[in-house]
Amino acid sequence: MTPSQRVRAGLEAGFAKLSEVDDFMDELPQPPPRPLDNDGDEERLGDVTVTHRFADAPGDGETVRWHYVEAGPPDGPVVVFLHGVPDSWWQWHYALEAFGSEYRCLAIDLKGYGQSEKGTGDFRQEGVAVQLEALLEQLQIERFSLITHDRGTPVGDHLVALMGDRVLRYGRGQQHLWHLSPDLHPQQAMFTSPDAPSMLADAGRFVATAYLLLTERRVKASDLARTVQEFSY
């Protein structure tokens, strides 16, 4: 089978699963929307307490407001996590639970996601990386390890290019190539247009579709319910 035939077969198999989305959504809990967090709010993940943080860092004319979740000792080795689509910091909650007692973990909502900035501005991967660099500078993060997934990976690539001498390790998750082109994946237009694609208008359906089509194993229903809540802000 040629590469093009494999791609076509994969797409056909994916589209065939679309008929299962409604049934999959029926299996998911339907929790009410979460109230917005405040700076300093704490949350328990297993044996680890995490703290919600907000910071205004330089970018987009004046500032960009970032939401991130922090765990671990302030003087511990720093690990920065960048999530994918349709996710938020919550994608890394098991990692925070596993490493938050030893490492200082920062799971950041990328711009346009979760409770981070959603106004117009520079949503190019390189532009977001420059603004993330400003955030890390403001937080006085000197040296860190970086873990990325999906949408967070091209941003992470640019961040490593900017701050490579300060990156100790880079765990680079896979990324669809079409995300790398702003013409094919116009983040600002997708997140700010009143005529945004319907998949973004229904967070529950978008999350259910993405996780049904793109995962090998089913994710816990409670985890997906929280994913929907975080994606709905």
Side-chain angles (χ1 to χ4, degrees):
M1 185 180 290
T2 67
S4 61
Q5 289 173 324
R6 288 199 299 271
V7 170
R8 182 179 296 276
L11 289 173
E12 289 175 350
F15 285 127
K17 282 188 175 182
L18 289 176
S19 62
E20 303 173 27
V21 171
D22 287 336
D23 290 338
F24 187 41
M25 290 183 66
D26 289 339
E27 299 173 13
L28 299 181
Q30 303 294 325
R34 287 189 76 250
L36 293 169
D37 290 294
N38 297 302
D39 187 66
D41 284 353
E42 293 184 342
E43 185 170 345
R44 195 72 174 171
L45 299 178
D47 295 328
V48 172
T49 298
V50 302
T51 305
H52 291 265
R53 297 293 187 192
F54 291 85
D56 295 318
D60 286 344
E62 294 183 358
T63 61
V64 171
R65 186 160 178 79
W66 296 95
H67 169 251
Y68 63 97
V69 172
E70 186 172 22
D75 58 350
V78 177
V79 183
V80 174
F81 297 91
L82 302 181
H83 63 82
V85 179
D87 288 290
S88 64
W89 75 270
W90 176 253
Q91 179 179 16
W92 305 108
H93 70 284
Y94 288 120
L96 299 181
E97 181 179 343
F99 299 111
S101 59
E102 182 178 356
Y103 295 86
R104 183 186 177 190
C105 300
L106 306 177
I108 302 172
D109 280 348
L110 290 171
K111 189 168 68 169
Y113 296 77
Q115 297 178 68
S116 284
E117 181 76 41
K118 292 184 175 63
T120 57
D122 189 352
F123 279 85
R124 296 173 305 121
Q125 287 90 345
E126 183 177 6
V128 175
V130 170
Q131 294 170 4
L132 272 174
E133 179 186 27
L135 171 65
L136 295 177
E137 292 283 4
Q138 183 161 303
L139 298 179
Q140 300 182 339
I141 304 298
E142 293 297 328
R143 295 170 68 81
F144 61 96
S145 297
L146 180 65
I147 307 295
T148 67
H149 173 72
D150 190 57
R151 166 68 184 171
T153 294
V155 175
D157 291 344
H158 286 290
L159 189 63
V160 170
L162 291 169
M163 307 180 71
D165 59 335
R166 293 160 63 175
V167 178
L168 299 174
R169 301 171 186 84
Y170 182 18
R172 186 183 188 278
Q174 291 185 332
Q175 167 63 48
H176 299 296
L177 292 178
W178 59 273
H179 274 154
L180 302 178
S181 169
D183 293 332
L184 298 177
H185 198 252
Q187 289 282 298
Q188 179 173 327
M190 290 177 67
F191 286 125
T192 62
S193 170
D195 300 317
S198 59
M199 66 179 185
L200 294 180
D202 187 339
R205 179 169 292 275
F206 185 29
V207 169
T209 301
Y211 272 85
L212 185 65
L213 296 184
L214 301 177
T215 56
E216 292 290 333
R217 292 178 294 177
R218 288 290 181 94
V219 177
K220 286 174 58 176
S222 58
D223 285 344
L224 288 183
R226 180 64 182 269
T227 299
V228 172
Q229 288 180 313
E230 296 291 335
F231 195 71
S232 298
Y233 285 119

